[in-house]
Amino acid sequence: MLGAGLPLAVVGVVIAALVLAPESLAAYRAAARNRIQTSLNLALGSALATIGLTIPAVAIVSLVLDLPLALGLSAMKIILLALSLFIATISLGTGRTTVLQGAVHLVIFAVYLFTTVVP
């Protein structure tokens, strides 16, 4: 990625996209069948499970090997993360989701991808 002039963070985004691809495809298919709640459950559940397993594993390895641990979140990325969690809370708090809420999540994701490629 560095040869293409892209930041190193793009490698992490590509790896995350590959890991989450099967669940994302299932979520997309559920959304196409107008099962938005199922789609959201698939997408958020798989992402949370992946993150919930990856971060502790990386933390344990860094402690065992005595390596420094840096998650690499800038202030802007932390704000996007907090915004995503806030919108997810609103979306899931009502018990039903709408297309507008899904669109808001997609816009936040697009901003994240854009700010990753163009810091």
Side-chain angles (χ1 to χ4, degrees), residues 13-34:
V13 171
V14 170
I15 291 171
L18 289 174
V19 169
L20 295 173
E23 289 86 359
S24 298
L25 183 60
Y28 174 77
R29 288 181 179 161
R33 289 184 303 236
N34 202 24

Side-chain angles (χ1 to χ4, degrees), residues 42-117:
L42 280 167
L44 288 177
S46 67
L48 288 174
T50 301
I51 293 167
L53 293 173
T54 303
I55 299 296
V58 169
I60 290 169
V61 168
S62 72
L63 288 173
V64 169
L65 298 178
D66 197 31
L67 297 171
L69 177 63
L71 296 178
L73 292 176
S74 65
M76 182 173 33
K77 298 286 181 0
I78 291 173
I79 290 170
L80 286 171
L81 177 62
L83 182 61
S84 297
L85 293 174
F86 177 71
I87 298 299
T89 302
I90 291 172
S91 297
L92 299 174
T94 61
R96 297 195 45 86
T97 57
T98 64
V99 174
L100 179 61
Q101 291 167 333
V104 170
H105 283 283
L106 289 175
V107 167
I108 293 171
F109 182 60
V111 169
Y112 172 77
L113 288 178
F114 179 77
T115 57
T116 298
V117 175

